Amino acid sequence: MEQAGSRVVVIDVLRACSTMIYALSQGCKVIHPCDTVSKAKDLFRQKVKSLGKDGVLLGGERGGVRVRGFHLGNSPEEYSSDAVRGRAVIFTTTNCTRNLTAVRSPKEVIICSFVNLHTVVEYLSKEDADVLLALSGTDGQMSLEDAVCGGMLINMLSDRREVVLSDSARTAHVLYLHYRRNIRQALLDSSHGKRLLELGFKDDIGFCAGVGKYEIIPRHVRGRVVC
Ligand code: 3SL
């Protein structure tokens, strides 16, 4: 996907963007998103040669659960300072990293979820460039939680600068207005949230519903996510 002149904001509330934001806030040096498990394993082997075994971790999920043989799954709190500080993470998830590696922008690609939303909005409000929201969704379908997050971004940005909305942006905004008093409920109502609950990831839902906890803006630049 390429949008000439636009800043692209990739949103995946549950859970990959929230996890990447948390990992980088905890001192992770760089995240390398990969679209497939085999590419992640290949890249890991290469990086071990240059960074050593202690310098790099393999993280991610398929079907919500940690890939067999990986050090970390896709629960944000696994990426604590103790685990990731000073290290590179090779990261692959079912939807988000695949979408992320497909997005191109001549301006920039920004990683966003509720947990860094305020900082992203402050940044976007300083410039007039078009903004394209790329909602990760689930298996090619729209996800309620990503739409509500996009809608909240639109709501906050429209207080700070002029915005002209497409129909899909307007739809996301209306969904946000519905959930504005209880963001966590949007995550609980979503099919993705329900699946994570069944898998035992209740704490992740609480974490990912925490609005504006981290003041960082990760960017995807030439295959690397960095702050
Ligand atoms: O598909 C993804 O990118 C993941 O974030 C999905 S899950 O939350 O790990 O199920």
Side-chain angles (χ1 to χ4, degrees), residues 65-81:
V65 296
R66 176 157 47 128
V67 179
R68 193 205 287 222
F70 277 29
H71 305 98
L72 303 166
N74 191 22
S75 285
E77 285 166 355
E78 288 178 87
Y79 291 74
S80 64
S81 166

Side-chain angles (χ1 to χ4, degrees), residues 105-207:
S105 164
K107 282 199 176 288
E108 61 186 343
V109 179
I110 289 171
I111 309 294
C112 178
S113 77
F114 283 116
V115 301
N116 70 341
L117 190 66
H118 286 74
T119 308
V120 171
V121 170
E122 273 314 313
Y123 174 70
L124 295 175
S125 64
K126 293 199 178 103
E127 300 216 20
D128 268 347
D130 285 352
V131 176
L132 177 77
L133 301 183
L135 310 185
S136 286
T138 307
D139 302 329
Q141 304 293 317
M142 187 199 94
S143 284
L144 176 61
E145 71 281 6
D146 293 342
V148 171
C149 184
M152 185 168 182
L153 186 153
I154 290 163
N155 197 66
M156 292 173 71
L157 198 56
S158 62
D159 286 343
R160 292 166 171 77
R161 62 175 250 200
E162 198 191 341
V163 298
V164 179
L165 301 180
S166 65
D167 282 359
S168 46
R170 200 171 292 285
T171 306
H173 188 224
V174 169
L175 281 171
Y176 162 67
L177 294 177
H178 179 77
Y179 283 106
R180 67 188 308 166
R181 289 198 177 75
N182 193 350
I183 293 299
R184 189 165 184 271
Q185 194 58 47
L187 278 63
L188 291 170
D189 285 351
S190 70
S191 54
H192 193 163
K194 290 188 173 119
R195 193 165 50 82
L196 290 176
L197 277 182
E198 278 166 23
L199 291 170
F201 295 123
K202 183 168 174 240
D203 290 351
D204 290 0
I205 293 185
F207 179 94

Side-chain angles (χ1 to χ4, degrees), residues 12 14-16 61 64 74 93-97 192 195-196:
D12 185 41
L14 294 173
R15 293 167 291 173
E61 57 69 41
N74 191 22
T93 67
T94 312
N95 301 283
C96 181
T97 56
H192 193 163
R195 193 165 50 82
L196 290 176

